Amino acid sequence: MPEFRITHRTPLPVDEAWRRVTDWQRHAAQVPFTRTTVLTDGPNREGTRFVARTGIGPIGFDDPMEVTLWEPPAPAARCRLTKTGKALTGWAEIEVQPAVRGTGSYVVWHEDLRIVRLPRFMDQLTARAGHLVFGYALRRILK
């Protein structure tokens, strides 16, 4: 599976960065033509399920996910999303850690993404596209 990792330093404290990166609707607002529907009642926890729908009108695909690991800040935080759909499979792990020097925090987005029926020789392109799209979204989410 194509894998990519994005690390972003933000002036935000760990708690605020965590709140933003685990606000699933905030993610969709940063990815073009995407909206998110949370299927479970809050607050976020293991077992939270949501669907990111990407498309225009009837043309598009669903990316259903479930939170399979939930470790809120103490002082670092981590969650793991498992993709459970027909078009996309894999997982994403989001970590928020206090900055080693100064204030703020580091957010690490690590994802293993597979587009179903896409040949393996496209893995590098998929990883690069994922890095670009999620890197852009992450910067906007933390802005």
Side-chain angles (χ1 to χ4, degrees):
M1 288 182 152
E3 201 171 311
F4 60 91
R5 180 183 305 264
I6 302 160
T7 301
H8 182 74
R9 178 158 183 172
T10 176
L12 298 171
V14 170
D15 288 346
E16 179 59 17
W18 175 251
R19 186 188 69 73
R20 291 183 187 196
V21 298
T22 59
D23 177 345
W24 313 125
Q25 280 85 7
R26 185 183 283 263
H27 284 250
Q30 306 311 320
V31 179
F33 310 111
T34 300
R35 67 182 183 278
T36 298
T37 304
V38 179
L39 305 173
T40 51
D41 292 331
N44 284 326
R45 64 192 180 289
E46 284 185 31
T48 295
R49 292 179 300 115
F50 58 96
V51 177
R53 169 83 182 160
T54 301
I56 300 174
I59 300 170
F61 63 91
D62 290 337
D63 183 9
M65 292 173 253
E66 181 174 348
V67 176
T68 54
L69 175 72
W70 185 259
E71 297 174 353
R78 183 170 63 137
C79 74
R80 184 178 182 100
L81 308 172
T82 301
K83 295 176 174 291
T84 60
K86 295 176 183 173
L88 299 175
T89 61
W91 52 266
E93 198 162 282
I94 305 166
E95 294 180 55
V96 183
Q97 304 166 355
V100 177
R101 294 188 187 128
T103 60
S105 56
Y106 285 98
V107 177
V108 179
W109 183 293
H110 183 198
E111 185 150 350
D112 200 356
L113 175 67
R114 162 80 42 211
I115 300 173
V116 176
R117 294 192 207 131
L118 192 66
R120 292 247 184 229
F121 73 84
M122 298 293 289
D123 283 359
Q124 284 296 335
L125 182 60
T126 301
R128 283 190 203 142
H131 193 277
L132 287 172
V133 169
F134 288 105
Y136 171 80
L138 185 60
R139 286 189 302 277
R140 304 268 306 160
I141 288 166
L142 295 169
K143 209 172 202 186

